[in-house]
């Protein structure tokens, strides 16, 4: 789930004083769409097949390249790298190794298609492995965060009473509510059928107020839905250093079950 | 066969020699957006031929990408004023694939009056 696993490791380069025609020939020879521009061992730019097509072949690479390309370390999460690309409106990112040297290139297309595999098609939220990867990274780095396990109450009976299309509408509606409550700062996922998970580094007071909003429920036509939330505040967990993601989910899901309305859990 | 006996090939050489102007680009080069030589190549060429005497000024213009200017001109006139004049005069005749060279001289005329008393 990190760019190091998705990047093209074979990096071809050209110096900035070579002609665009030479860069084009190199790309054709190696069947690649971009070259790093390296002068005296330092990355000074990136030239793509689009640059080549729009520039006179007699020009030097320095006059066709994008200077100072955005670079990210190998351990950057795929979704973070994709956000960087969106922010800067670019199609390629240079990935550098721990030693600081260029290790590879990733394209937006590759990351987007990889990310689509981890996206829940019904809600647009990510699937469980997404949360797992982030939680593991935060657990190992000792970060303080909140983990919420959200379980929709009595969802099975809603499906039986109103039909599955209404149930699907409620799932989608609840996902939208999660996004509106937590915004872009939190990591949200549809963990399983009617279960969601949230990772956030927001304040405890924000989380408390978010839980109140989520618990207030959601209506689609005559169908009404409430949710139970298991909340793990990592700053209050004594054995947090030994905690695994599996244990985190287990405790939070048991908490959400504990607080389900009587007779519903 | 008879014709072949009279066959000959000759080459005529014509040689013109003149002094290479230093620098060859005079005072200004106006570089089109799709010209065969770009601003960075022009800057490197100028730097190699006349170190520290020329500056590249990149401009926002549909046809013109940059102007190479003799740095001394930028000391005499404000960059914005100078570049605006150059663009105004060049844009009517340049296409985006061209590089124009130009000579630009600045003459300052001063008239002062002093009190005779």
């Amino acid at each position: 789930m990190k760019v190091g696993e998705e990047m093209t490791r074979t990096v071809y380069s050209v110096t900035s004083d070579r002609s665009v025609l030479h860069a084009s020939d190199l790309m054709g020879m190696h069947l690649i769409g971009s070259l790093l521009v390296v002068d005296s061992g330092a990355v000074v730019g990136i030239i793509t097949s689009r640059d080549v097509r729009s520039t006179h072949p007699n020009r030097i690479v320095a006059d066709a390249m994008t200077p100072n390309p955005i670079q990210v370390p190998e351990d950057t999460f795929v979704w973070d790298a994709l956000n960087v690309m969106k922010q800067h409106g670019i199609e390629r990112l240079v990935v550098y190794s721990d030693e600081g040297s260029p290790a590879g290139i990733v394209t937006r297309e590759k990351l987007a298609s990889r990310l689509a595999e981890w996206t829940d098609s019904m809600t647009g939220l990510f699937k469980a492995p997404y949360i797992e990867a982030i939680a593991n990274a935060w657990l190992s780095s000792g970060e303080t965060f909140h983990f919420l396990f959200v379980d929709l109450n009595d969802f099975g009976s809603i499906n039986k009473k109103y039909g599955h299309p209404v149930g699907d509408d409620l799932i989608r509606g609840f996902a939208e509510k999660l996004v509106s409550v937590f915004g872009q700062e939190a990591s949200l996922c549809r963990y399983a059928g009617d279960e969601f998970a949230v990772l956030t580094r927001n304040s405890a007071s924000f989380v408390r107020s978010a839980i109140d909003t989520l618990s207030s429920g959601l209506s689609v036509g005559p169908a009404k839905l409430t949710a139970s939330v298991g909340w793990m505040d990592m700053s209050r967990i004594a054995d947090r250093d030994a905690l695994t993601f599996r244990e985190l989910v287990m405790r939070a899901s048991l908490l959400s079950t504990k607080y389900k309305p009587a007779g519903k859990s | 066969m008879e014709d072949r006996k009279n066959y000959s090939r000759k080459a005529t050489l014509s040689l013109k020699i003149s002094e290479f102007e230093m620098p060859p680009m005079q005072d200004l080069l106006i570089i089109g957006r799709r010209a065969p030589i770009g601003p960075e190549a022009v800057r490197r060429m100028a730097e190699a031929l006349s170190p520290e005497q020329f500056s590249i000024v990149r401009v926002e213009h549909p046809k013109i990408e940059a102007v190479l200017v003799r740095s001394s001109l930028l000391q005499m006139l404000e960059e914005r004023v100078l570049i605006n004049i150059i663009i105004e005069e060049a844009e009517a005749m340049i296409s985006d694939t061209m590089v124009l060279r130009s000579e630009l001289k600045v003459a300052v005329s001063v008239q002062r009056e002093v009190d005779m008393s």
Side-chain angles (χ1 to χ4, degrees):
Chain A
M1 292 205 178
K2 300 194 170 171
V3 288
E5 299 154 20
E6 306 299 330
M7 67 186 182
T8 304
R9 286 197 173 269
T10 311
V11 180
Y12 294 96
S13 65
V14 65
T15 52
S16 69
D17 57 352
R18 297 304 301 264
S19 70
V20 168
L21 182 64
H22 174 73
S24 171
D25 288 345
L26 268 182
M27 287 184 206
M29 189 190 307
H30 298 296
L31 301 174
I32 49 173
S34 63
L35 292 167
L36 283 186
V37 185
V38 178
D39 284 344
S40 308
V43 177
V44 295
I46 186 167
I47 182 165
T48 66
S49 50
R50 192 166 65 177
D51 297 328
V52 164
R53 283 195 300 275
S54 62
T55 311
H56 195 289
N58 186 66
R59 281 198 172 197
I60 60 172
V61 166
D63 279 320
M65 69 182 188
T66 302
N68 307 316
I70 309 287
Q71 303 186 46
V72 294
E74 274 187 84
D75 61 355
T76 307
F77 281 115
V78 165
W79 38 88
D80 289 336
L82 203 58
N83 278 338
V84 169
M85 289 192 200
K86 283 179 189 164
Q87 276 170 14
H88 292 89
I90 53 176
E91 295 298 319
R92 285 175 171 80
L93 268 183
V94 178
V95 182
Y96 62 86
S97 65
D98 292 343
E99 295 79 41
S101 56
I105 290 178
V106 282
T107 64
R108 191 160 160 171
E109 188 184 0
K110 172 87 182 281
L111 295 190
S113 80
R114 198 79 181 93
L115 216 53
E117 294 171 22
W118 299 323
T119 305
D120 175 52
S121 57
M122 184 192 284
T123 60
L125 300 183
F126 287 106
K127 294 176 183 172
Y130 165 82
I131 284 280
E132 184 173 355
I134 296 182
N136 280 334
W138 288 358
L139 283 170
S140 61
S141 66
E143 280 200 57
T144 302
F145 62 92
H146 302 275
F147 179 72
L148 277 64
F149 191 88
V150 187
D151 196 357
L152 303 185
N153 296 325
D154 207 19
F155 184 71
S157 68
I158 288 175
N159 270 341
K160 284 177 194 155
K161 192 172 176 184
Y162 299 104
H164 280 79
V166 174
D168 290 349
D169 288 345
L170 280 166
I171 292 279
R172 275 189 286 269
F174 194 79
E176 284 167 16
K177 189 167 184 174
L178 273 177
V179 173
S180 72
V181 168
F182 287 98
Q184 299 297 316
E185 295 301 311
S187 301
L188 310 170
C189 93
R190 185 180 178 202
Y191 190 80
D194 60 346
E195 294 156 349
F196 298 84
V198 179
L199 273 176
T200 178
R201 285 181 283 205
N202 251 310
S203 66
S205 59
F206 172 86
V207 173
R208 192 178 301 281
S209 137
I211 290 173
D212 288 343
T213 311
L214 291 178
S215 305
S216 67
L218 183 75
S219 300
V220 171
K224 288 188 173 50
L225 181 81
T226 57
S228 298
V229 183
W231 174 16
M232 298 282 284
D233 179 348
M234 298 308 286
S235 66
R236 291 165 165 242
I237 309 289
D239 60 342
R240 56 150 301 152
D241 291 341
L243 206 60
T244 61
F245 177 70
R246 182 187 165 88
E247 183 71 19
L248 189 66
V249 173
M250 201 161 72
R251 290 191 200 178
S253 62
L254 287 175
L255 277 174
S256 75
T257 306
K258 186 177 170 184
Y259 294 110
K260 271 184 180 291
K264 299 289 185 188
S265 62
Chain B
M1 275 305 276
E2 200 59 33
D3 290 345
R4 190 71 182 166
K5 281 181 183 169
N6 298 327
Y7 175 81
S8 71
R9 294 179 74 203
K10 290 179 183 171
T12 305
L13 273 71
S14 167
L15 190 62
K16 288 182 183 173
I17 299 176
S18 63
E19 191 184 7
F20 181 71
E21 285 178 46
M22 277 299 293
M25 53 274 187
Q26 297 173 335
D27 300 312
L28 297 172
L29 281 184
I30 302 148
I31 305 153
R33 290 210 164 271
R34 292 169 55 224
I37 180 167
E40 180 58 22
V42 166
R43 189 194 67 76
R44 291 182 191 189
M45 175 192 73
E47 198 57 28
L49 292 172
S50 307
E52 295 157 28
Q53 288 184 42
F54 285 87
S55 305
I56 274 283
V57 180
R58 291 179 185 268
V59 296
E60 291 295 324
H61 189 274
K63 289 191 286 185
I64 301 167
E65 186 170 359
V67 181
L68 180 80
V69 193
R70 189 181 283 282
S71 301
S72 58
L73 292 170
L74 293 172
Q75 286 163 4
M76 299 169 80
L77 286 168
E78 193 191 330
E79 180 182 300
R80 186 180 54 81
V81 173
L82 182 63
I83 296 298
N84 281 349
I85 292 169
I86 294 165
I87 288 176
E88 268 178 41
E89 297 305 324
E91 65 185 350
M93 59 182 297
I94 195 170
S95 81
D96 60 359
T97 58
M98 291 167 75
V99 178
L100 296 181
R101 80 172 168 172
S102 166
E103 205 174 330
L104 188 132
K105 302 294 172 216
V106 179
V108 179
S109 99
V110 178
Q111 187 176 348
R112 287 191 178 198
E113 287 183 10
V114 291
D115 201 341
M116 297 289 285
S117 61

